[in-house]
Amino acid sequence: MKTAADIVRENNREMICIDQGRTVADAVDRMVAQKIGAILIRKEKRLVGIYTERDLLRNMADTGFDPAAAPVADHMSAPLHTMPHDTPLIKLTDCFLGLFIRHIVVEQDGEPIGMLSVGDILRATLLDQDEKIKELNVIASWEYYENWGWGRKKR
């Protein structure tokens, strides 16, 4: 079964980060430029939170919110949810569903190696199930059933 590291490797995407001292507008500009819905927030070299489209939507409803002046650190979601690189796909699925979250940072040896979204997990799950179905079809093909009678007399 696939692991978190396998999915990160297959996605082949870099983690997009912004410094916690930048503004919400800076974070949104970077998200738009990268065509992503979430950006990781770092303090020096350490990841400390995440800012997402949903965070922006909630912020925009606040009276007096000014994205050009608001530090992203004041509006990010923290702490980050993390999982080890060897976490199997089924456990990742359980984590996303059980915690009602949309992003997980994958770590190896205490260092982040990538971020996975619920969409990444859904895609990986569907591809995994498709492979299993193909394997079962090979095992249980019509040829398999037609050959059950080998060695028996036909009527």
Side-chain angles (χ1 to χ4, degrees):
M1 174 159 290
K2 286 189 179 183
T3 65
D6 295 332
I7 301 166
V8 165
R9 224 178 348 270
E10 288 170 4
N11 287 348
N12 195 27
R13 289 187 304 240
E14 70 174 290
M15 291 187 300
I16 308 299
C17 305
I18 193 166
D19 187 70
Q20 72 168 359
R22 304 297 296 265
T23 66
V24 168
D26 293 334
V28 170
D29 288 344
R30 185 90 188 271
M31 290 164 62
V32 169
Q34 296 288 326
K35 298 180 179 162
I36 56 175
I39 190 165
L40 293 166
I41 312 302
R42 69 175 173 246
K43 179 180 182 178
E44 295 162 9
K45 294 187 186 252
R46 189 173 52 88
L47 297 178
V48 294
I50 187 169
Y51 192 76
T52 69
E53 296 164 324
R54 286 180 174 229
D55 293 322
L56 177 63
L57 187 60
R58 263 191 300 278
N59 297 151
M60 294 304 288
D62 294 340
T63 305
F65 175 72
D66 179 10
V72 72
D74 293 349
H75 299 280
M76 69 183 181
S77 297
L80 287 171
H81 293 278
T82 62
M83 293 297 277
H85 71 285
D86 58 352
T87 304
L89 179 57
I90 189 74
K91 186 168 181 179
L92 288 168
T93 303
D94 288 346
C95 185
F96 275 98
L97 293 174
L99 296 174
F100 296 98
I101 58 175
R102 294 179 176 269
H103 300 91
I104 289 179
V105 173
V106 179
E107 293 183 336
Q108 185 170 1
D109 300 324
E111 294 294 320
I113 62 167
M115 181 173 70
L116 296 175
S117 71
V118 68
D120 296 328
I121 299 307
L122 177 60
R123 181 179 185 279
T125 300
L126 291 173
L127 289 172
D128 186 59
Q129 290 175 350
D130 185 57
E131 280 300 312
K132 287 178 183 171
I133 289 168
K134 286 177 182 173
E135 289 171 11
L136 289 172
N137 279 332
V138 168
I139 292 169
S141 68
W142 281 113
E143 183 179 314
Y144 174 80
Y145 290 111
E146 289 171 352
N147 293 330
W148 269 7
W150 284 1
R152 291 190 324 190
K153 290 183 179 178
K154 294 188 180 186
R155 295 182 192 201

